[in-house]
Amino acid sequence: MNEPSSTTIARELEDQSVREQQDLRGLLSGTWGRIRSGDLGAFPVLVGLVIIAVIFQSLNSNFLSSANLVNLLLQSAAVGVISLGIVCVLLVGQIDLSVGSVSGLAAAVFATLFVKEGWPLVLAVVGAVAVGLVIGWVYGQIFNRFGVPSFVITLGGLLGFLGLQLFVLGPSGTINLPYDSWLVQFGQLSFVPAWLSYVLVVVASGGYFVSQWLLARERRRRGLVAKSVQVMAVQAGVLLVALLFAVWYLNQSRGVGWMFVFFVALVLVMHYALTRTSWGRHVYAVGGSVEAARRAGINVRRIYTSVFVICSTLAAVGGLLAAGRIAAASQSSGTGDVNLNAIAAAVIGGTSLFGGRGSAFSALLGILVIQAISSGLILLNLNSSLRFMVTGAVLVLAVMVDSLSRRSRSEHGRG
């Protein structure tokens, strides 16, 4: 008798997962069953956020204040965008150690073009982002044509582009951005009007319901099991209530920053690309098994190039957001803990270092964990060295959880 193919097994597991969500009882029991079998998803991150919030709030009552949470979200946006690119690279089992240097170089290029050369802001932004795109393309060519490990390529990039950043900035080492420029206003002073924030929340929850309904209709058309309307309505309702409360609470202070909204929009776009397009399916396939993906007819080289390009481009975008946030590009842009936090956020958020597992939301959840730790320690006036130690411990713990969950999934036949 022929053994079932990996594609057939994956389809059966997907059908089983959807079948478990056909009614509310099945949704709850199915969720608990997946957690017990090692398919943890975002559960450890959400639990971690709750623990962090409880600990720091008990030590300092300002931690969960609306003013502090507004600042926390704004500060997470720039590195979060960089981490979103790291998620793509990790999904194919590779790494990019140069995202910090690329972000700093992009900020330096933008400041030079905009302030020193007098370029229009839009053209300066395009030029800086193009630098990131070209770097990613070069990484892809070196990796595909010469077989140099991504660790080595990007480690060289980390050093080389840091030097290029210093060269671009010149002897002064710092280029200040005009406070009245759009990028600085966007990074520091632009907030969503209260009424519009509620509208966006309703649109987001409604969009979630519509997308799930369309997916269920397509599955039924193909003769596959699908979620019931009741389950989709409950999920959309819970999302609506949670987001309405969050927005209402943030509006007690300055509200939701447009820069954080931009970050979330990028996460949603990437989530769609990874889950609803052939490119996204190919990324997961390459991360799961390169040889199997190649035999299935997937252009593996093109996938590798695409993720390197996306990663470096998002690093450049993150560098611009960081420059707007501090109104300057300097020798310290992209240095320090930018690399650490970007990579750690992707892993802590649930993206596997082994490739093939993770989602765009890993960047969002992971950077919230890291920024929450940083914000809490600052409020407690503790030494910054503790932040590195705590973040490192959380990172190791996240990898341990990923390894144990992989073993558990394998034992339960979930891959």
Side-chain angles (χ1 to χ4, degrees), residues 14-34:
E14 181 182 4
D15 287 346
Q16 176 186 345
S17 177
V18 176
R19 189 179 296 111
E20 291 169 345
Q21 301 180 52
Q22 284 189 298
D23 53 51
L24 293 178
R25 180 178 298 177
L27 176 63
L28 295 176
S29 63
T31 300
W32 175 244
R34 288 193 297 276

Side-chain angles (χ1 to χ4, degrees), residues 391-402:
T391 303
V394 173
L395 174 60
V396 173
L397 180 61
V399 176
M400 290 172 59
V401 170
D402 178 43

Side-chain angles (χ1 to χ4, degrees), residues 93-153:
Q94 302 301 322
I95 191 65
D96 188 340
L97 300 176
S98 68
V99 287
S101 295
V102 173
S103 69
L105 175 61
V109 169
F110 167 78
T112 300
L113 295 178
F114 181 54
V115 178
K116 289 188 174 182
E117 302 298 328
W119 284 30
L121 186 142
V122 174
L123 292 182
V125 168
V126 171
V129 173
V131 168
L133 188 151
V134 171
I135 290 173
W137 182 84
V138 171
Y139 283 166
Q141 302 313 302
I142 296 175
F143 181 82
N144 288 324
R145 297 180 182 276
F146 301 100
V148 181
S150 59
F151 180 92
V152 177
I153 301 171

Side-chain angles (χ1 to χ4, degrees), residues 310-330:
I310 289 173
C311 184
S312 292
T313 301
L314 288 176
V317 173
L320 295 181
L321 295 179
R325 182 72 181 147
I326 64 174
S330 67

